[in-house]
């Protein structure tokens, strides 16, 4: 690895649909750049927003605002999310910025002048949701929505011309597409003839995009525009030194769903513009929720903000990095999150931390004791520390983040075992120096382990490092100075009580529902926007409710008990993932909670001043 690195995340669609998987790519990039920075490499970490195209235009239309105004509202939400997740990016690009529009038009001109853009009339099937023409076969696969037949004149990029050059490049550069199985997937795709890429959209159909510099009646296809952000941000065409310093990047980190655009469209575009190709494209897998793809209709979307509000940022970052094997899918469940937190953070790491600091406080007045002459046991801990540092670095460079973390935790477990065996709490009473030696060794090991975990959990590890008065973040053994006064702090990783723990007797009761089954029930808060009687059904209301940024309709038999005015504005609790039902010919998506006594009925209402709509209810 060189002494500088440039790493990018995909730029996110400028709308308000962030799930834990979206946040994952950015946390991953942040963790990697922090590891590299800790190795004294100079870094550039880019993220941003993909603000053009049909998806964004549609989202704006649905909200009844202009696309630019919509994007201006969304951008601060992303910035706030990144701040809350302790993301330290160096640049945040928005594709509506002038700097980007200019680079896209310059590159389009370069490709055009190179004879790689031609005009053609095309008739075919177009998937509105995917924003691209699809083949008959793809249409039959059932994976594409909003399919239309379209016939229009457009501009095409001669992608096919670069097919062989791309195959050669992939074969000659084994690290270009990672992991290996994704590389094989792309090579498999390239075994079939590569078509040309339609890179324009007539303004009559879509006008939210960057004008084609050679035909003002067209805007640029959103992917041709978006991918270029990676070079715009380096200063392409504006600051040559900066561009040459950072481009090509070390890694484009992406999710597996956008592999073709990054590993086929993007390199061929760069070849045509005669620009260097990225050094690496790494596609990670998907975060599933309860083994399924996260989706609003299933009600299983895990919102990163809810999680960090409840458990703090560092445990969430830790779980995501520890649990996903890069390249494979991973399954998010609250149960595994709590298990992981309790075993690794509360038991292993937190326990070592509180033991070591408490013992130094009690027996050495909070002053780090002298290491003295090391015995074989201390030397073994030191050797393990040094081996761990080397292993963690190479695992991170191989993008095996979860293994790097596991290696560190294994080391922490060894130190806990060493403490058990040495029992410094007894030793100090017999031989204070020997007790001090053990505590020094454990504290120094803890400092090293903490430094290794710092990129993953920057906030809480910083508190530990402050306790040790660590300033240089130096991994060499002996960095902890005897005589250092330890600072006091509150427990960093208190255990989370697992609510679902039940006594064996309770588990025998067949009528009880398992906690994980209860969790599947998507209970959510919802605000009633309007209530209207269903034609021909006196008891039924057709309610329009707001669940976060989603609006939906629920039919409910409460018209005998509430007037429409009494209902509007109330924050209720609904089962959000109930199968859609048709009640008296009216679609109902969900059910509200209510309780009744004989003729009386009361709906469950929560305090609107304390909770927003779309939040999980328990
Ligand atoms: N705008 C395009 C990227 C253009 S890059 C030039 C885009 N945006 S996105 O907002 O839909 O997705 C951003 C990233 O989030 C993608 O890498 C996608 O794979 C990732 N994820 C979205 N949901 C995810 C999971 N559930 N799990 C893991 N990552 C997923 O695509």
């Amino acid at each position: 690895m060189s002494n500088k690195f440039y790493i990018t995340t995909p730029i996110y669609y400028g709308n308000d649909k962030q799930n834990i998987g979206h946040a994952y790519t950015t946390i991953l990039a942040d963790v990697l750049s922090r590891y590299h920075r800790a190795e004294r490499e100079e870094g550039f970490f880019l993220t941003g927003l993909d603000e053009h195209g049909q998806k964004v235009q549609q989202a704006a239309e649905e909200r009844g605002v202009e696309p630019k105004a919509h994007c201006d509202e969304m951008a601060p939400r992303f910035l706030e999310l990144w701040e809350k997740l302790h993301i330290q990016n160096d640049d945040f690009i928005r594709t509506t910025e002038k700097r980007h529009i200019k680079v896209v038009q310059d590159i389009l001109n370069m490709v055009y002048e190179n004879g790689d853009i031609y005009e053609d009339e095309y008739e075919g099937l177009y998937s509105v949701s995917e924003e691209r023409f699809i083949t008959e076969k793809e249409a039959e696969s059932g994976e594409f929505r909003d399919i239309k037949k379209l016939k229009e004149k457009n501009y095409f990029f001669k992608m096919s011309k670069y097919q062989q050059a791309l195959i050669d490049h992939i074969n000659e550069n084994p690290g270009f597409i990672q992991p290996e199985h994704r590389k094989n997937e792309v090579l498999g795709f390239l075994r079939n003839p590569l078509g040309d890429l339609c890179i324009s959209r007539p303004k009559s159909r879509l006008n939210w995009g960057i004008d084609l510099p050679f035909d003002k009646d067209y805007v640029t296809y959103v992917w041709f525009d978006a991918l270029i952000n990676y070079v715009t941000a380096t200063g392409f065409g504006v600051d040559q030194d900066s561009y040459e310093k950072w481009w090509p990047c070390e890694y484009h980190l992406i999710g597996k769903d956008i592999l073709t655009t990054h590993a086929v469209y993007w390199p061929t575009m760069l070849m045509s513009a005669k620009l260097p190709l990225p050094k690496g494209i790494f596609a990670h897998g998907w975060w599933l929720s309860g083994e399924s793809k996260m989706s609003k209709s299933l009600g299983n979307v895990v919102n990163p903000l809810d999680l960090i509000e409840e458990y703090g940022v560092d445990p969430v970052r830790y779980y995501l990095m520890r649990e996903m094997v890069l390249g494979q899918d991973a399954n998010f469940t609250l149960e595994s999150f709590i298990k992981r937190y309790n075993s690794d953070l509360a038991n292993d790491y937190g326990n070592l931390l509180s033991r070591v600091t408490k013992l130094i406080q009690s027996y050495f007045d909070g002053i780090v004791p002298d290491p003295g002459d090391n015995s074989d046991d201390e030397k073994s801990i030191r050797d393990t520390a040094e081996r761990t540092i080397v292993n963690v670095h190479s695992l991170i460079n191989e993008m095996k983040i979860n293994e790097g973390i596991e290696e560190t935790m294994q080391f922490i477990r060894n130190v806990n075992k060493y403490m058990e065996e040495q029992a410094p709490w007894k030793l100090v009473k017999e031989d204070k120096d020997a007790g001090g030696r053990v505590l020094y060794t454990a504290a120094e090991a803890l400092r090293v382990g903490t430094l290794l975990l710092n990129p993953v959990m920057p906030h809480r590890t910083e508190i530990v490092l402050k306790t040790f008065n660590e300033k240089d973040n130096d991994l060499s053994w002996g960095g902890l100075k005897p005589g250092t006064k330890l600072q006091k702090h509150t427990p960093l990783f208190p255990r989370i009580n697992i609510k679902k723990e039940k006594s064996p007797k309770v588990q025998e009761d067949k009528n009880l529902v398992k906690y994980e089954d209860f969790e599947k029930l998507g209970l959510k808060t919802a605000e009633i926007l309007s209530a209207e009687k269903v034609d021909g059904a006196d008891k039924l209301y057709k309610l329009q409710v707001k669940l976060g940024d989603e609006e939906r309709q629920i039919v409910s038999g409460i018209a005998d008990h509430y007037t429409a005015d009494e209902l509007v504005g109330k924050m209720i609790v609904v089962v959000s993932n109930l199968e859609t039902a048709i009640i008296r010919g009216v679609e109902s998506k969900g059910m509200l909670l209510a309780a009744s006594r004989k003729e009386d009925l009361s709906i469950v209402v929560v305090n609107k001043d304390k909770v927003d709509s779309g939040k999980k209810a328990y």
Side-chain angles (χ1 to χ4, degrees), residues 243-300:
Y243 163 69
E244 281 174 17
K245 176 172 177 183
W246 297 113
W247 188 256
C249 65
E250 271 59 42
Y251 276 117
H252 286 315
L253 292 179
I254 56 166
K256 63 180 184 182
D257 54 318
I258 52 176
L259 182 63
T260 312
T261 47
H262 281 78
V264 180
Y265 296 9
W266 181 222
T268 53
M269 285 163 61
L270 288 164
M271 281 176 183
S272 171
K274 301 192 171 43
L275 298 175
L277 306 196
K279 290 185 207 156
I281 298 166
F282 196 105
H284 62 72
W286 273 67
W287 274 100
L288 307 173
S289 167
E291 306 289 350
S292 320
K293 200 171 160 176
M294 288 186 210
S295 86
K296 281 214 160 150
S297 49
L298 285 177
N300 65 351

Side-chain angles (χ1 to χ4, degrees), residues 9-13 19 21-22 24-25 50 223 226-227 229-230 253-258 262 284-288 294 324:
T9 74
I11 47 170
Y12 294 82
Y13 286 121
N19 66 41
H22 290 116
Y24 172 77
T25 323
D50 185 356
W223 273 103
L227 288 158
N229 90 87
Y230 301 133
L253 292 179
I254 56 166
K256 63 180 184 182
D257 54 318
I258 52 176
H262 281 78
H284 62 72
W286 273 67
W287 274 100
L288 307 173
M294 288 186 210
M324 182 174 261

Side-chain angles (χ1 to χ4, degrees), residues 6-26:
Y6 172 27
I7 204 161
T8 72
T9 74
I11 47 170
Y12 294 82
Y13 286 121
N15 49 35
D16 196 19
K17 295 186 182 109
Q18 303 140 6
N19 66 41
I20 196 78
H22 290 116
Y24 172 77
T25 323
T26 305

Side-chain angles (χ1 to χ4, degrees), residues 565-615:
D565 281 347
E566 283 174 318
L567 290 171
V568 173
K570 285 216 163 47
M571 189 70 81
I572 56 171
V573 177
V574 299
V575 184
S576 64
N577 55 348
L578 199 66
E579 282 179 337
T580 302
I582 307 290
I583 303 172
R584 294 285 186 105
V586 181
E587 194 186 62
S588 177
K589 289 181 128 186
M591 192 173 104
L592 59 74
L593 296 192
S596 65
R597 183 189 57 195
K598 292 187 182 157
E599 305 306 310
D600 292 326
L601 178 139
S602 165
I603 57 173
V604 174
V605 174
V606 293
N607 188 340
K608 218 164 111 176
D609 295 332
K610 298 201 174 158
V611 265
D612 295 327
S613 73
K615 297 288 174 202

